[in-house]
Amino acid sequence: MTVSFLTQGPIDRDVFTRIIKALRTTGYIVLDEVFTLPQLQSLFIDLKTTDSEQFRPAGIGREQAQRVNQFVRRDRIRWLDASYEPVVTYLEWMEQLRLRVNRELFLGLFDYECHYAHYSKGAFYKKHLDSFKGNSNRRLSSILYLNPAWQSADGGELIIYAPDSDAVVQTVLPTFGKMVLFLSEQFPHEVLPAKCSRYSLTGWFRINATDSVTLDPLK
Ligand code: OGA
Ligand code: MN
């Protein structure tokens, strides 16, 4: 049987309107209720039933420059399997968003790459930008948190900094179902050490940076 998120209720069109407005003005948004509880639970189950072997230490940079640096980030990641229905419907939602953003903000977003991330106790990710140097084709970052009972004492906050100063614009507790979207090239951010396992689904909309000299790498 195929159960689609989208058939369980209408898509909240209003949420896309709010996202567009926020991206146009502040460049980021934190949303509390995008997906329903069953949708979130399905994604959480998918993530949790993954063999821990399949989670690999996350790298920094792209292609040859990709390396694992324990001083910068300590999370482990698994790229999404688009054959699992809840993942497909999550991706469909993201596709709707991509189309709206392109239509209204002309960002020219071309595709969306995403993975689950697991920060184990003590893991962090130091202040960084998501768009890679020399290949800044990530334009819009998304994070969906999948921590069913996260408390402020558990730490692991996402700190979003202002584009041009060290000012903190928002501190985000990674509670179940919260989603953050921000322009990848503008907002430095960091993940403070988590006091227990911290889970998320993180993704990036990219532009196609292929030109006559360089083919855009797929991953
Ligand atoms: C990332 C990242 C933030 C978070 O994976 O690039 O910054 O809150 N994640 O998980
Ligand atoms: Mn990041």
Side-chain angles (χ1 to χ4, degrees):
M1 189 183 67
T2 304
V3 180
S4 166
F5 287 173
L6 303 181
T7 58
Q8 288 177 14
I11 300 187
D12 179 4
R13 299 266 162 211
D14 190 49
V15 81
F16 290 138
T17 306
R18 278 192 290 143
I19 292 169
I20 300 287
K21 194 169 163 209
L23 292 179
R24 188 177 272 139
T25 51
T26 56
Y28 76 97
I29 188 166
V30 180
L31 296 155
D32 265 321
E33 283 171 11
V34 178
F35 297 109
T36 64
L37 209 53
Q39 291 166 353
L40 295 167
Q41 278 159 348
S42 311
L43 291 170
F44 183 60
I45 288 165
D46 183 35
L47 188 161
K48 288 289 282 191
T49 50
T50 301
D51 191 340
S52 63
E53 292 284 290
Q54 287 182 38
F55 274 86
R56 307 241 171 261
I60 304 160
R62 193 170 266 285
E63 295 221 313
Q64 293 93 330
Q66 173 105 14
R67 61 197 194 276
V68 173
N69 184 334
Q70 293 287 303
F71 296 103
V72 177
R73 65 186 297 187
R74 294 240 175 114
D75 56 326
R76 297 171 71 83
I77 63 161
R78 193 203 95 195
W79 295 94
L80 251 65
D81 175 2
S83 64
Y84 178 59
E85 190 59 25
V87 167
V88 172
T89 45
Y90 170 81
L91 294 174
E92 276 169 10
W93 191 91
M94 283 296 171
E95 177 61 9
Q96 299 285 326
L97 177 61
R98 186 183 75 84
L99 295 172
R100 270 295 286 273
V101 166
N102 281 350
R103 201 157 67 228
E104 296 189 36
L105 301 177
F106 307 107
L107 286 191
L109 305 177
F110 177 75
D111 71 357
Y112 179 69
E113 57 179 5
C114 60
H115 60 60
Y116 289 122
H118 174 207
Y119 290 69
S120 50
K121 187 170 181 232
F124 54 80
Y125 193 167
K126 294 225 161 123
K127 190 173 175 186
H128 65 280
L129 276 171
D130 284 346
S131 46
F132 294 113
K133 258 196 208 143
N135 194 343
S136 64
N137 59 355
R138 288 177 169 181
R139 289 297 156 90
L140 180 61
S141 303
S142 74
I143 310 157
L144 174 69
Y145 295 110
L146 295 171
N147 304 299
W150 202 263
Q151 307 287 321
S152 28
D154 297 330
E157 294 93 344
L158 168 72
I159 310 285
I160 305 175
Y161 294 94
D164 43 15
S165 74
D166 283 338
V168 173
V169 294
Q170 189 118 3
T171 299
V172 182
L173 204 61
T175 51
F176 205 49
K178 194 178 280 178
M179 180 183 276
V180 183
L181 295 161
F182 58 88
L183 297 174
S184 312
E185 295 168 304
Q186 296 207 11
F187 293 93
H189 53 282
E190 76 173 297
V191 178
L192 299 184
K195 303 217 172 83
C196 48
S197 272
R198 175 193 194 270
Y199 300 100
S200 60
L201 203 175
T202 307
W204 300 269
F205 289 99
R206 310 186 310 159
I207 57 156
N208 188 342
T210 297
D211 59 24
S212 55
V213 181
T214 325
L215 261 186
D216 193 23
L218 282 174
K219 278 266 181 306

